[in-house]
């Protein structure tokens, strides 16, 4: 009874407030309508409609500043401006070759009516598939340098929607997703259970991360995130479980402030993508469109690629990052005594190079190549790595020469252990080393508590750090794959060399923890990947018994699903994560990984439901060949494919990599079968996906 | 009555505790005796005696660690070791050419008797003039990486001594000294009044800084400080005003921790210098002896020198650091519109170069040469300066060439505004620029709240930062003069290119605030300068009416005292701070500055009393010439000089720069007179010092 009463009160308040106002300003783009209003207390607010039905109820806007805790009221609307944009642009790489940017923009000019009479603008861009808005602080006499202590942006849901969330953690996105109603959000048990995550900081138990995927009872899909996050902390959302109101919650800095700004300036875009079709959420380009064009003029050196790596073997405990067992294992000369388990030794690296060269894999990543791994983690230690000194058994020159002779590129690894200050001091020497030995890409890592101490992975200082690293990499013509940064917000448009991030729970958790549940990869595209490519590291073929001393450990997918992930989880840097010997045991299946593209002319989201299933077809850039991936969650499933996206009148050779009839993620994950057939645009196929299964198709133009 | 009672209780407790222990371990060196003991609770402690009388009563030792809040008790003494050292060493530059290092060392090995059974060593070095001790954390299984949350080192005074103190501020040493009894220590009114200090953080009103100068009622002088502060926060002292016990209080980091350490490691030395003569305190080399020898092998490029600078004119408001009036004064092309007040313009700089070349001054400092000064301060802004971009009216190449042609060296200025992260990112480019244009020295500055935000000027992170900068400077053969770092602790021995620091209230306060009282310079040698040279910037000749629009502003010294400071306040980088035109008005007085040395073979502290007076004679390196400075506080004074330090049988030409008979800091500060005479080692002189006055002598071997 209490709950119902609360609901009625909220509703009537909403109506009364509306009545007190002048008519709201509104903008409509097809099914999406935005209304903006200022209430009698001078509080700016907005509401969203989809297909004439409320999508977000009246939601207030504004800030607390260090010198004005009520910078969210007392405003008067002093002007508005509108403009329309409809343009096309071409990303350097991506899921499609051309992107349409079509929106109507509303700018509202607000000014406080008392005190310092400060001005605040809010810019709304209304797209066919949602809305982005950001705050702009105009140049003005009474607002120069200032500190944001809180952002009060609201997203007031119309009901107790189903939501796919991870805890609002300042330092990690590497959680399993929870599916619950808004009223059921409580991250505390999730955080407490997540002992496999290195650093957790989640002080608000009712806070969740974005991208937050929501689905209303009447079938409206809503995705809330942000775009172009620079010079500002990441936004998390505090959920009011009674009113279904989500409020921005910014990640604080070491002293509890949120952002240090200097007018004129603006916040990142707050984004709401709306559709009654789940597939539209995945094909939305709203977030990319809200990011700035490339800051890098010459992008010819930026090349999507696949890679293998000396990495999974350390994750599963077969070899080690470190050279000695511990830092005190030293001989009389003070030299480290090798444990014999060091993965990044020259001979082993050459084995990966040989495998890559034979199998159409362009690059090799090597972790654990540089000194410092004996005591790199968990000590909040500042000077962990120097990023230039190889272990004695890693012949950096010999390896580079060997790789170059075989046409293979090396990917550098720079783990920081969270010590960003140390990394910033070494950036020049680190990137000069990459240039010297011809490494075209770097994988960074931030496993550990951040230094500057008190800062967080997702706070303003680190947001700027990641961008500084991307810029430094660009200066040195190096592509970047960042692990453990804040989650992406479409900055790959602005820094196209920042090809991928991890920023989520990757395949690695299957190596060292209880892993990722079968539904995980059906949720990721609706959440983590909304902001940009994820280096998920798919492609595990040995799905059980891979972890020495841990016979029960297994992945929660079939082998065919691992292949499908190359299509369903987009990244222009895509790893084939398993060991060469495991691939060599299944050369027919590995053929798909050899063949699959990492850059695309077109993408068709054929079917999708978060948490359940996903089927995507993509057209490889510049070839006319298509690749298709279909995955399911823990439930087996038959999917009906209509290949009408293929070019009419053309004939294609399809290879179908599918679960064997008796395949099952739990009992029989490695059972797969191949089927080759001719297909055309009129072909229809039924594919049976095992529990935790999937299917992958290569569909090549017949020659 | 109450006070007496408290004293008796404290005394009897002391005796009882003693009785419970085994005999203490003791070490005696001439008049100084150290006793070490462990009480029945396993708490280590020490006591000091001078001339058989207690100098420090039983004082406990130990720590709280993040994982053991009682790492100060439960210890057992498991072993001791002693050794004697008597050696001589030669500093690269300094007050004397040879330093004797004579001490007896006691190492006590302690181990906790329960729990993790951790070990702790304490090393005491007992000198003829005091004691240094430090904690050492030996390599051991149960102590690896650890966090110090508090250091509990005590210095228990024997009575309510007179003390010369500044507030225990985490961010500034730039206070006026207060002279009070221990029972009168209360920094709150001092901190509140010090509105002329840019950043103040003094949360403990009963905390004071070291070096702390003390004098007991029976005439014992005690100086408490630390030596070799690296990788640890600065130590301040919390005063118990009832028991006269001083307890170490470490400057915290952004999250409240004090130090992040990794065994084996050690703390800085805690130093207690003792004497019944104030002059012995000033001639003590205990702190230098406790520092490590030079880390720089080739020191031939390190050369003490005098300099003038485009600086005082900005301090007094005659010109500005900034090029435009404010950052928004831009023309249609977006270029800054010059205000016409910019001090660091090529023509003006050349004027200083000309002056230096004519007057035996080796170098010229220029502040405000680089872009960013329009909004550099007070915004907690990270990217303030780039350290390489000159303002349009500063022709860096032309100026360097001009200076080189005249044999003048340029001193670079790198103000960080406290943004150490920004400076660390630019260090390489900043020092490469100095090398490119032949700048042999840099003056750094840290005026502002520190970034990383939450860190303090005197915390562990910044202590490491200053050392990193010194090392980077050494790598580039650049001498360093650091303004606003933590106060020195003798590291000039280890980094002899780190020639000077400000770290105290310099002459600059006379330019922009009510300035420094007449006693200030008689206290500085006993406090701030105990740790190392101070860039005080003496030599102001225009002592009144120098600040445009502030006719009443004046220095609190006479002109003759300004000259004397070149001898009494030692620095190997010594500024002649006033404007060329003010010097040109008094060429006879400026002759002393032209002549005075900045590197010495010998130093004689002839007489001294903190807060009252000071007379020092120094022998210029490699010449046989002597220079003498005598200063007094607000009281006029006659000092009787015995020149018996001069070489017997030699004749000298002395020039005496002294206060005119009617000179007085307040009413007639610029009245001075010169007297030339022949002197020998048997000469005796009476010098009359005016109120706030002084005298300077050059005593050159007759030719
Ligand atoms: Ca990770
Ligand atoms: Ca200063």
């Amino acid at each position: 009874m209490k709950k119902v009463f609360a609901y009625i009160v909220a509703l009537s308040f909403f109506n009364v407030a509306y009545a007190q106002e002048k008519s709201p300003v509104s903008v409509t783009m097809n099914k999406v309508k935005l209304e903006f209003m200022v209430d009698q207390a001078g509080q700016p607010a907005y509401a969203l409609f989809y297909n004439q039905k409320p999508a977000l109820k009246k939601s207030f806007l504004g800030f607390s500043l260090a010198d004005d805790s009520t910078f969210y009221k007392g405003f008067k609307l002093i002007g508005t401006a509108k403009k329309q944009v409809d343009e096309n642009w071409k990303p350097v790489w991506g899921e499609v070759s051309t992107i349409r940017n079509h929106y109507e923009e509303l700018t509202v000019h607000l000014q406080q009516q008392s005190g310092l009479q400060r001005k605040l603008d809010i810019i709304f861009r209304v797209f066919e598939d949602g809305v982005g808005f950001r705050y702009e602080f105009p140049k003005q006499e009474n607002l120069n340098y200032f500190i944001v202590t809180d952002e009060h942006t609201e997203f007031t849901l119309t009901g107790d929607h189903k939501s796919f969330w991870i805890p609002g953690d300042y330092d990690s996105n590497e959680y399993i997703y929870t599916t619950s109603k808004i009223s059921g959000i409580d991250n505390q048990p999730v955080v407490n259970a997540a002992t496999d995550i290195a650093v957790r900081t989640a002080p608000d138990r009712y806070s969740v991360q974005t991208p937050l995927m929501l689905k209303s009872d009447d079938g409206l899909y809503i995705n809330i995130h942000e775009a172009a996050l620079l010079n500002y902390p990441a936004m998390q959302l505090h959920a009011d479980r009674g009113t279904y109101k989500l409020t921005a919650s910014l990640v604080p800095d070491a002293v509890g402030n949120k952002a240090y700004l200097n007018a004129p300036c603006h916040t990142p875009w707050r984004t709401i993508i709306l559709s009654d079709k789940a597939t539209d959420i995945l094909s939305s380009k709203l977030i990319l469109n809200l990011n700035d064009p490339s800051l890098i003029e010459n992008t010819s050196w930026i090349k999507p690629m696949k890679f293998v790596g000396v990495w999974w073997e350390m994750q599963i405990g077969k070899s080690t990052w470190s050279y000695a067992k511990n830092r005190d294992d030293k001989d009389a000369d003070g030299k480290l005594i090798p444990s014999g388990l060091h993965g990044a030794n020259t001979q082993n690296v050459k084995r990966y190079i040989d495998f890559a060269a034979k199998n159409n894999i362009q690059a090799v990543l090597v972790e654990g190549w540089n000194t410092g791994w004996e005591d790199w983690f968990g000590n909040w230690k500042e000077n962990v790595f120097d990023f230039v000194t190889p272990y004695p058994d890693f012949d950096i020159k010999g390896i580079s020469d060997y790789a170059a002779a075989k046409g293979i590129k090396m990917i550098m690894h720079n783990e920081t252990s969270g010590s960003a200050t140390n990394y910033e001091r070494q950036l020049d020497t680190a990137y000069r080393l990459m240039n010297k030995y011809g490494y075209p890409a770097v994988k960074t890592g931030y496993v550990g508590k951040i230094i500057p101490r008190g800062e967080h992975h997702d706070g303003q200082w680190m947001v700027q750090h990641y961008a500084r690293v991307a810029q430094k990499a660009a200066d040195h013509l190096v592509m970047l794959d960042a692990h453990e940064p804040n989650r992406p917000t479409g900055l790959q448009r602005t820094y196209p060399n920042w090809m991928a991030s991890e920023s989520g729970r990757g395949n690695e958790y299957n190596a060292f923890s209880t892993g990722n549940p079968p539904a995980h990869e059906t949720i990721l595209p609706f959440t983590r990947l909304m902001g940009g490519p994820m280096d998920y590291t798919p492609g595990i073929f040995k799905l059980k018994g891979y972890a020495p001393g841990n016979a029960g450990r297994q992945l929660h997918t079939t082998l065919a699903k691992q292949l499908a992930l190359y299509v369903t989880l987009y990244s222009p840097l895509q790893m084939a994560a398993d060991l060469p010997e495991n691939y060599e045991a299944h050369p027919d299946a590995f053929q798909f990984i050899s063949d699959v593209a990492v850059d695309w002319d077109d993408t068709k989201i054929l079917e999708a439901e978060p948490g359940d299933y996903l089927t995507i077809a993509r057209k490889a850039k510049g070839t006319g060949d298509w690749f298709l991936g279909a995955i399911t969650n823990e439930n087996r499933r038959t999917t009906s494919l209509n290949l009408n996206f293929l070019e009419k009148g053309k004939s294609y050779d399809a290879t179908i990599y599918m679960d064997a009839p008796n395949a099952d993620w739990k009992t029989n994950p490695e059972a797969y079968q191949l089927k080759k057939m001719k297909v055309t645009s009129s072909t229809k196929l039924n594919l049976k996906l095992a529990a935790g299964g999937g299917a992958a198709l290569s569909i090549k133009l017949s020659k």
Side-chain angles (χ1 to χ4, degrees), chain A:
Chain A
M1 190 59 213
K2 200 178 165 197
K3 200 167 175 184
V4 171
F5 177 72
Y7 181 72
I8 292 166
V9 168
L11 199 72
S12 70
F13 174 77
F14 178 77
N15 287 330
V16 169
Y18 241 67
Q20 290 171 340
E21 289 156 13
K22 289 185 250 173
S23 305
V25 190
S26 75
V27 181
T28 302
M29 174 72 81
N30 294 3
K31 296 179 179 171
V32 177
K33 181 183 175 193
L34 164 90
E35 286 187 355
F36 174 80
M37 63 227 65
V38 178
D39 77 3
Q40 287 201 328
Q43 298 192 61
Y46 72 104
L48 287 189
F49 301 83
Y50 186 82
N51 238 348
Q52 272 126 40
K53 287 197 290 190
L56 289 182
K57 296 196 294 183
K58 183 177 179 180
S59 302
F60 285 105
L61 298 161
F63 297 90
S64 292
L65 308 181
D67 69 353
D68 179 2
S69 62
T70 60
F71 197 60
Y72 55 81
K73 66 180 184 186
F75 286 103
K76 187 178 171 187
L77 182 62
I78 58 169
T80 62
K82 286 188 183 181
K83 72 169 179 179
Q84 276 228 353
V85 170
D86 195 354
E87 64 187 6
N88 291 295
W89 61 278
K90 287 182 179 299
V92 175
W93 46 260
E95 297 176 85
V96 295
S97 61
T98 302
I99 292 174
R100 184 181 179 194
N101 183 26
H102 179 210
Y103 63 84
E104 180 155 341
E105 181 176 284
L106 165 68
T107 301
V108 298
H109 301 290
L110 304 167
Q111 186 166 22
Q112 285 187 311
Q113 294 303 294
S114 61
L116 294 170
Q117 302 196 303
R118 282 171 170 166
K119 295 176 197 161
L120 174 66
D121 292 350
I122 309 174
I123 321 295
F124 295 90
R125 288 191 184 165
V126 184
F127 296 82
E128 294 180 32
D129 57 357
V131 171
F133 64 88
R134 74 180 184 192
Y135 301 91
E136 300 195 357
F137 302 89
K139 187 154 196 55
Q140 54 193 298
E141 206 175 332
N142 289 329
L143 192 69
N144 188 0
Y145 290 93
F146 63 103
I147 296 172
V148 173
T149 51
D150 272 309
E151 180 183 325
H152 301 298
T153 304
E154 296 176 353
F155 306 87
T156 310
L157 306 178
T158 59
D160 193 9
H161 301 342
K162 182 179 181 182
S163 62
F164 301 85
W165 57 268
I166 56 174
D169 189 305
Y170 298 165
D171 285 297
S172 183
N173 289 267
E174 299 188 356
Y175 286 94
I176 293 171
Y177 288 90
T178 300
T179 305
S180 81
K181 295 279 192 185
I182 295 294
S183 59
I185 288 175
D186 178 0
N187 68 39
Q188 197 169 294
V190 180
V191 174
N192 290 344
T195 52
D196 49 7
I197 298 177
V199 179
R200 289 166 292 164
T201 312
D204 173 6
R205 67 190 287 183
Y206 305 117
S207 166
V208 299
Q209 302 263 24
T210 72
L212 178 65
M213 190 64 222
L214 302 159
K215 187 182 181 183
S216 74
D217 286 348
D218 58 352
L220 182 66
Y221 295 88
I222 306 173
N223 186 281
I224 302 178
H225 190 36
E226 63 182 311
L229 171 58
L230 284 172
N231 199 24
Y232 204 78
M235 177 182 72
Q236 305 184 342
L237 297 173
H238 171 83
D240 185 315
R241 306 194 303 170
T243 62
Y244 319 134
K245 185 164 75 184
L246 307 171
T247 307
S249 169
L250 303 178
V251 175
D253 82 338
V255 301
N257 289 325
K258 304 301 166 44
Y260 300 81
L261 301 178
N262 178 12
C265 59
H266 55 74
T267 67
W269 296 94
R270 280 63 188 94
T271 62
I272 306 113
I273 302 174
L274 297 169
S275 182
D276 49 13
K277 294 194 200 74
T279 52
D280 286 352
I281 303 292
L282 297 184
S283 56
S284 174
K285 295 292 171 282
L286 186 150
I287 288 172
L288 271 182
N289 276 324
L290 290 170
N291 274 271
D292 285 339
S294 176
L295 284 173
I296 303 169
E297 259 177 66
N298 171 14
T299 57
S300 62
W301 51 276
I302 300 173
K303 294 189 196 306
M305 60 188 183
K306 287 172 283 188
F307 64 102
V308 290
V310 183
W311 175 75
W312 185 253
E313 60 179 78
M314 283 93 100
Q315 293 287 3
I316 61 179
K318 201 183 148 228
S319 69
T320 60
W321 283 270
S322 67
Y323 176 72
K325 260 208 185 98
N326 70 63
R327 67 169 178 145
D328 297 326
D329 286 357
K330 288 184 179 169
D331 64 17
D333 299 335
K335 288 185 178 164
L336 284 172
I337 301 167
S339 68
L341 294 169
H342 183 223
N345 66 78
T346 303
Q347 196 187 342
N348 194 35
V349 172
K350 286 185 175 173
R351 199 167 63 91
Y352 281 79
I353 293 171
D354 291 343
F355 176 83
K358 261 186 245 159
N359 290 281
N360 191 34
I361 300 295
Q362 289 80 45
V364 174
L365 163 76
V366 185
E367 296 203 357
W369 68 276
N370 60 329
T371 57
W373 288 93
E374 282 71 24
D375 57 347
W376 72 285
F377 175 70
N379 303 313
W380 224 0
K381 175 186 173 186
E382 184 157 10
N383 299 323
V384 191
F385 296 106
D386 70 1
F387 311 101
V388 295
T389 308
Y391 278 124
D393 60 346
F394 183 83
D395 173 11
I396 187 166
K397 169 91 171 64
I399 287 168
S400 298
D401 291 349
Y402 187 83
K406 297 216 162 194
I408 295 299
K409 310 211 176 306
M410 298 300 296
I411 300 181
M412 177 51 67
H413 184 231
N414 282 177
E415 173 60 52
T416 68
S417 188
S419 180
T421 47
N422 180 51
Y423 193 37
E424 294 204 346
R425 287 194 287 270
Q426 320 293 335
L427 277 181
D428 273 310
T429 53
Y431 285 82
R432 279 201 292 263
L433 188 83
M434 294 174 215
N435 288 163
K436 178 175 178 185
Y437 291 109
Y439 282 63
V442 61
K443 173 182 173 180
T444 56
Y446 296 87
V447 178
K449 289 169 86 171
I450 294 297
I451 303 179
R453 295 190 183 94
E455 297 290 344
H456 294 288
H457 283 76
D458 291 4
Q460 182 187 24
W461 199 89
M462 285 302 292
V463 162
Q464 288 300 82
H465 167 81
Y466 307 125
R468 277 194 290 268
V469 170
Q471 183 60 58
K472 177 67 74 176
D475 296 344
H476 287 264
L477 309 187
V478 168
M479 295 177 277
L480 173 63
D481 172 13
H483 279 232
E484 298 91 24
N486 67 280
R487 72 286 184 278
T489 59
L491 285 174
Q492 65 272 26
R493 180 178 179 189
T494 309
Y495 298 101
N497 68 315
W498 189 352
M499 322 260 310
S501 294
E502 184 192 37
S503 317
R505 190 176 181 92
N507 224 345
E508 65 181 17
Y509 277 83
N510 291 307
F512 60 73
S513 81
T514 53
N516 305 338
H520 189 61
E521 295 92 348
T522 70
I523 301 173
L524 281 174
F526 289 95
T527 51
R528 161 62 186 79
L529 276 89
M530 289 301 294
M534 178 172 185
D535 183 18
Y536 186 73
T537 69
I540 303 304
F541 277 17
K542 191 170 174 64
L543 294 155
K544 258 185 168 174
Y546 47 80
N550 204 325
R553 184 153 295 167
Q554 68 171 111
L555 267 73
H556 303 77
T557 80
T558 65
L559 191 150
K561 183 170 174 179
Q562 288 290 316
L563 296 179
L565 297 179
Y566 285 85
V567 181
T568 59
L569 290 175
Y570 176 59
S571 178
L573 290 181
Q574 196 66 284
M575 189 175 198
D578 210 341
L579 312 180
E581 56 267 39
N582 295 337
Y583 288 141
E584 282 157 355
H586 303 287
D588 58 350
F590 193 79
Q591 189 60 46
F592 182 80
I593 300 179
S594 290
D595 290 347
V596 70
V598 280
D599 193 9
W600 309 98
D601 271 334
D602 201 5
T603 286
K604 303 287 183 191
I605 314 293
L606 300 179
E607 53 172 8
E609 181 64 25
D612 291 347
Y613 57 85
L614 174 59
T615 302
I616 300 181
R618 302 191 197 267
K619 188 180 179 191
K621 190 160 263 178
T623 69
D625 297 339
W626 287 77
F627 294 86
L628 184 148
I631 61 170
T632 182
N633 61 7
E634 66 281 6
N635 300 314
R636 56 170 55 231
R637 173 178 161 76
T638 300
T639 184
S640 301
L641 293 182
N642 184 339
L643 303 188
N644 59 5
F645 51 83
L646 297 177
E647 199 177 341
K648 306 263 175 291
K650 290 273 167 83
S651 170
Y652 296 82
D653 296 308
T655 306
I656 308 176
Y657 303 76
M658 56 201 293
D659 295 320
N662 60 345
D664 179 284
W665 74 266
K666 187 158 197 170
T667 58
N668 196 20
E670 291 170 22
Y672 65 91
Q673 53 186 345
L674 266 63
K675 195 173 164 186
K676 290 178 190 277
M677 60 189 295
K678 292 272 180 192
V679 298
T680 68
S681 64
S682 54
T683 302
K684 291 184 174 58
L685 290 171
N686 282 332
L687 292 179
K688 285 192 176 2
L689 312 183
L697 278 75
S698 77
I699 308 172
K700 300 188 188 182
L701 276 170
S702 301
K703 282 177 190 147

